[in-house]
Amino acid sequence: MPRPEIEFTDYSNFELAPIDGKVVGLSQRVISEGSSTQEMVRILEFAPGTDTTPNGVQVHNYWEELYIVKGSIIDLTLNYH
């Protein structure tokens, strides 16, 4: 199934759901998801002060794009702000 064509849509139109796991304060808005292709387009939201260190280093077999709309993050491995 191809991705839906969505243009000029406010991100808040997609449901905000907490991500279960070790980190409190991490939520996502899933825009599209393909179970057979294991592809996902989503928006992650970090509550102020969210510490994702318990998740450890994240390794993927896909490209990940990161856009910071508001606030900041620190990559501890790269020591990059």
Side-chain angles (χ1 to χ4, degrees):
M1 178 178 183
R3 286 188 193 162
E5 293 184 20
I6 302 171
E7 292 185 355
F8 306 106
T9 302
D10 192 301
Y11 78 98
S12 64
N13 290 336
F14 302 96
E15 180 182 352
L16 181 64
I19 297 176
D20 293 332
K22 303 173 191 174
V23 176
V24 175
L26 189 56
S27 302
Q28 67 182 357
R29 296 177 188 270
V30 176
I31 297 170
S32 69
E33 183 172 24
S35 59
S36 62
T37 60
Q38 296 182 334
E39 291 181 359
M40 176 185 278
V41 176
R42 67 181 178 169
I43 297 171
L44 287 178
E45 292 193 22
F46 297 74
T50 299
D51 180 3
T52 60
T53 305
N55 283 340
V57 175
Q58 300 295 293
V59 178
H60 312 293
N61 60 352
Y62 56 85
W63 288 96
E64 184 171 50
E65 296 179 27
L66 176 66
Y67 299 91
I68 300 171
V69 178
K70 182 179 177 183
S72 63
I73 63 169
I74 299 171
D75 184 312
L76 296 175
T77 302
L78 300 174
N79 193 27
Y80 186 77
H81 304 232

